[in-house]
Amino acid sequence: MSGGIAAYKAVEVCRRLVDAGAHVSPVLTRAATRFVGELTFSALASEPARTSLWGNDEPIPHTRLGQGADLVVVAPATARLIGAYAAGISSDLLTATLLATRAPVLLAPAMHTEMWEHPAVVDNIATLRRRGVHLVGPDAGRLAGGDLGYGRLAAPEAIVDAATALLAPSRNDTRGLQALVTAGGTREPIDAVRYIGNRSSGKQGHAIASELASRGADVLLVTASELPGPPGVEVERVETAAEMHAAVTRAAAERDLVVMSAAVADFRPKVTVAGKLKKADGVPEVILEQTPDILAELGATRRPGQILVGFAAEALGPGAQPEERLREFAEGKLRAKRADLIVANDVSAPGVGFAHDTNAVLIVTADGYHVPVPLADKGAIAAAVVDAALAYGSRRSSPPGR
Ligand code: C5P
């Protein structure tokens, strides 16, 4: 708890977490103790409340608390707490614990609308999100002093639901698997300000990285997207096809599963003009050249046993038998790239592909399976892709008849 008027609702959060079977170690900032009593939490939680780095019965409480936690929930999280955490300043027990933990962190912000919308808070929240910190709320509603607006602490049951979801036991069926996932659309510079890009958002690739990590895999995500890195995923940010090529080439040999969900540019300007092309100099001629085909290169050079998944975005448009055309297209790509699985989608269909939160795909495998996955959110599609890759891997390691 940090010090906001909403701290009284943390009593309810604490009680519900204890009821749900959690071991709750309460930590209050000094300001929080002005709103709620330390004793209340000591009585309700699983161990006495702590309020200070100093004067405890143990010399370094923050490391025990941080290292021992499966989840750290900060409710309410004030603007000050959010700022200190984003800046890595550990001036009290709560911020020190936040820096000493590798567990997922869930923040439930609560503050006045003006503070929540202040550029400093907006930036700090963006920074924390990028680092994989989870948020619940804030909601709109009545604030301290009777004002109405955005910034109200999420309801205790919503905070507990979010905590429970983060603690849900994972399937762990990718435990020990070394995975590499690419995501986003590359940008190929024309000059210092312009680039050739594409409409890929990176949502599907990030969802796959997140799915693999939540099921136990060790995941490196090479991304050209600005989306936050999913929790527990190592992230390498790149911009161009050349940078993605270098990052993937460095990492691929060590990986058991490579999922190339990035929309890598097929062509790039042959030269990047230093500075900015001037309109007054007339219409420039931009000569393009081919980029390295990363997936095809991996397909040609990979070690036996590695599973290689490629994506194929097709704009089928209107016409007969779209499913068959998509399958033929995907199977062609499977052979051309020597991949094990191709995840194909028709980006011209409603709700499918680039920038949407939903997708519909057809997964084809090198051993002749096709798995159509109807329109679903990108998390569900990610789960289907991971399932298909694992099933393919187990068929390959124990072929029928052996
Ligand atoms: O050939 P096409 O671009 O349609 O193939 C798509 C698949 O190939 C995707 O998995 C994409 O990540 C990968 N790709 C690549 N390098 C490129 C172009 C595409 O790895 N230069």
Side-chain angles (χ1 to χ4, degrees):
M1 281 68 66
S2 50
I5 184 68
Y8 75 91
K9 291 195 207 161
V11 176
E12 180 69 14
V13 174
C14 176
R15 195 190 57 76
R16 285 175 182 254
L17 285 171
V18 171
D19 286 352
H23 178 102
V24 179
S25 312
V27 173
L28 290 88
T29 62
R30 195 165 301 282
T33 62
R34 290 180 168 261
F35 296 94
V36 274
E38 200 181 322
L39 194 62
T40 311
F41 287 96
S42 293
L44 283 175
S46 319
E47 56 178 88
R50 293 186 185 279
T51 58
S52 172
L53 276 163
W54 320 110
N56 293 290
D57 45 3
E58 54 184 337
I60 37 176
H62 58 293
T63 52
R64 176 187 65 86
L65 290 164
Q67 289 167 358
D70 299 307
L71 175 70
V72 181
V73 182
V74 187
T78 57
R80 183 202 67 83
L81 183 279
I82 289 166
Y85 184 28
I89 297 169
S90 59
S91 49
D92 56 23
L93 179 58
L94 178 53
T95 46
T97 303
L98 284 168
L99 297 193
T101 193
R102 292 198 175 144
V105 172
L106 175 66
L107 299 185
M111 64 197 76
H112 256 71
T113 312
E114 291 84 348
M115 296 173 81
W116 175 248
E117 290 177 353
H118 190 283
V121 177
V122 170
D123 281 355
N124 289 334
I125 288 288
T127 299
L128 292 173
R129 273 191 204 274
R130 200 176 57 244
R131 293 182 191 150
V133 169
H134 303 271
L135 289 173
V136 51
D139 295 344
R142 190 166 297 281
L143 304 171
D147 291 345
L148 277 176
Y150 208 60
R152 193 166 123 126
L153 184 75
E157 55 271 32
I159 297 172
V160 173
D161 283 351
T164 312
L166 286 168
L167 289 169
S170 92
R171 288 206 260 161
N172 262 336
D173 57 353
T174 63
R175 198 192 195 98
L177 190 87
Q178 299 285 320
L180 168 65
V181 180
T182 67
T186 63
R187 295 175 170 189
E188 310 301 327
I190 297 171
D191 63 11
V193 296
R194 303 176 180 94
Y195 60 84
I196 299 177
N198 62 66
R199 295 187 191 281
S200 167
S201 63
K203 285 181 187 167
Q204 187 63 77
H206 280 237
I208 291 171
S210 170
E211 174 74 14
L212 282 164
S214 73
R215 287 162 70 166
D218 193 342
V219 187
L220 170 64
L221 172 66
V222 176
T223 182
S225 157
E226 279 158 18
L227 288 174
V233 169
E234 186 189 347
V235 177
E236 184 167 345
R237 301 210 178 251
V238 296
E239 197 174 308
T240 62
E243 286 168 13
M244 185 164 279
H245 181 235
V248 169
T249 308
R250 259 197 313 274
E254 307 296 319
R255 302 281 158 168
D256 308 306
L257 170 67
V258 179
V259 184
M260 283 291 305
S261 41
V264 187
D266 293 318
F267 312 106
R268 67 182 166 213
K270 204 163 182 168
V271 286
T272 299
V273 174
K276 184 183 169 189
L277 283 164
K278 296 273 185 302
K279 206 185 324 190
D281 295 338
V283 179
E285 200 162 89
V286 180
I287 314 271
L288 301 179
E289 66 176 4
Q290 210 151 13
T291 55
D293 189 322
I294 307 169
L295 180 58
E297 213 174 281
L298 294 177
T301 58
R302 67 175 148 160
R303 61 175 166 80
Q306 185 178 62
I307 299 174
L308 203 52
V309 182
F311 271 65
E314 181 70 339
L316 291 175
Q321 299 178 309
E323 273 154 40
E324 270 171 41
R325 283 190 290 147
L326 191 62
R327 198 178 84 212
E328 275 166 30
F329 178 75
E331 285 173 350
K333 190 141 290 190
L334 197 63
R335 285 188 293 274
K337 307 251 186 184
R338 293 204 240 171
D340 298 301
L341 284 87
I342 289 285
V343 182
N345 56 6
D346 171 9
V347 292
S348 64
V352 172
F354 298 138
H356 291 289
D357 288 325
T358 52
N359 205 355
V361 301
L362 173 70
I363 305 171
V364 298
T365 73
D367 59 352
Y369 282 67
H370 8 102
V371 187
V373 190
L375 197 67
D377 75 67
K378 285 184 171 172
I381 303 283
V385 171
V386 172
D387 289 346
L390 295 184
Y392 173 84
S394 58
R395 287 198 300 274
R396 192 169 62 180
S397 55
S398 54
R402 262 207 210 161

